[in-house]
Amino acid sequence: MRNPPVRYVPGRPTVGLAATTVVTAWLVAAVAFGVAVLSVRDFDPGTLLAVALMGGSAQTARHARARLKAARKVRGEVPHRVLRQRWHGDLTTVSADEYRALRPIGMARADAVRRTEELISPLTDIPSVRIFRGVHLGGPDRTVAAFAVTAGRLVLIVEPVAWPPGHYLIDATGQVRCDCRFIGQSAGPLAAGVAALRARLPRTHRVRALVAVLPIADGAFVLPVPTKEVAWTLARELPITMRTELARHPRTVSRHIIAALAPAPAGSDG
């Protein structure tokens, strides 16, 4: 069975809606200005209302114009062929990075990354899903996480670790503790990466990180309490956790997300 067509959305407002908003706002501002000029002698309540409308409409027009400019810029940066691409980037540098703030214990990072990729690959049966390998923000040398999986206006950043059983928590400074002992790792950089990506995307978009914990031995796990930026899950539960959220956006792809996450030039393996 063929997948249903994917609908591409550049983010709200669309180019057409933003253009309409600009024109309408400036018309309202012009009318309000005219009323203000005609009523300026008396300075009655109608004048005050007109002035308020004029100021508010002009501000709305400026904001809409800025959004229109941004939407056109993103449309130029992300052509249709890139929107259709299901995979972006590569793991050349990610897999070899053994000294990350969050990292495997007792397992090579390359193995943890490979196993995580095998878990998330089937998610591409959702038509809108796009997967990014090696998520960079703030320059090519700053790798935030191994993967980002997106659908619609949702971004799930995925970072694999491999840990022994234990009771894990994140202290007030972002440090990871197992059975009350600091293990030399921190969730701070990952949370900062989430915040940085949120700042780059329109407010209609949602971003959060999932840390996929691969057990290196049998035993019970108590994972850290999730925050607004980072949640934690055992790796075996990762696919169903992600699918539940991604499937809510089965047919839309955001140009803003592609522009923020895709390498330049965009990766291969489409």
Side-chain angles (χ1 to χ4, degrees):
M1 178 183 294
R2 296 180 60 187
N3 286 328
V6 178
R7 179 162 56 91
Y8 303 112
V9 290
R12 293 178 183 160
T14 61
V15 173
L17 179 59
T20 302
T21 303
V22 170
V23 173
T24 302
W26 279 115
L27 285 174
V28 172
V31 171
F33 178 76
V35 173
V37 169
L38 293 175
S39 307
V40 70
R41 292 181 179 177
D42 299 329
F43 209 67
D44 57 18
T47 302
L48 295 176
L49 177 61
V51 172
L53 282 173
M54 180 177 62
S57 298
Q59 184 177 18
T60 300
R62 286 193 296 270
H63 290 168
R65 184 178 180 183
R67 292 194 296 269
L68 174 61
K69 183 177 180 180
R72 285 175 172 168
K73 181 175 182 292
V74 168
R75 185 177 292 276
E77 291 176 350
V78 184
H80 194 73
R81 63 176 178 80
V82 177
L83 280 175
R84 294 196 307 267
Q85 192 171 318
R86 306 300 295 273
W87 290 82
H88 297 263
D90 63 68
L91 296 170
T92 303
T93 58
V94 174
S95 298
D97 187 359
E98 299 283 355
Y99 301 100
R100 298 180 52 74
L102 289 173
R103 57 191 179 275
I105 297 172
M107 178 186 298
R109 176 162 168 79
D111 290 339
V113 169
R114 175 185 55 78
R115 291 173 60 176
T116 304
E117 185 174 42
E118 291 174 354
L119 290 171
I120 66 176
S121 291
L123 295 171
T124 55
D125 64 4
I126 301 173
S128 61
V129 163
R130 302 294 182 263
I131 298 180
F132 299 82
R133 302 181 182 103
V135 181
H136 299 276
L137 291 173
D141 297 328
R142 184 184 173 192
T143 305
V144 173
F147 302 99
V149 185
T150 77
R153 296 182 177 91
L154 172 67
V155 183
L156 297 177
I157 295 174
V158 180
E159 180 69 353
V161 298
W163 289 344
H167 188 152
Y168 291 87
L169 59 83
I170 307 299
D171 66 19
T173 65
Q175 293 182 339
V176 181
R177 296 184 176 274
C178 178
D179 299 331
C180 299
R181 298 180 61 183
F182 175 50
I183 66 171
Q185 301 190 31
S186 172
L190 185 58
V194 170
L197 183 55
R198 286 175 177 171
R200 292 181 60 176
L201 293 173
R203 284 180 291 180
T204 53
H205 291 59
R206 294 189 301 118
V207 184
R208 71 188 186 102
L210 291 172
V211 179
V213 180
L214 295 154
I216 62 171
D218 294 334
F221 279 84
V222 176
L223 297 180
V225 175
T227 66
K228 293 181 179 180
E229 290 78 26
V230 183
W232 312 75
T233 181
L234 292 175
R236 63 175 177 266
E237 299 170 0
L238 181 66
I240 188 62
T241 299
M242 296 181 67
R243 183 175 293 277
T244 299
E245 296 194 57
L246 296 167
R248 297 171 185 165
H249 316 275
R251 296 183 180 86
T252 58
V253 179
S254 168
R255 271 190 166 90
H256 289 283
I257 292 175
I258 304 295
L261 293 178
S268 56
D269 297 346

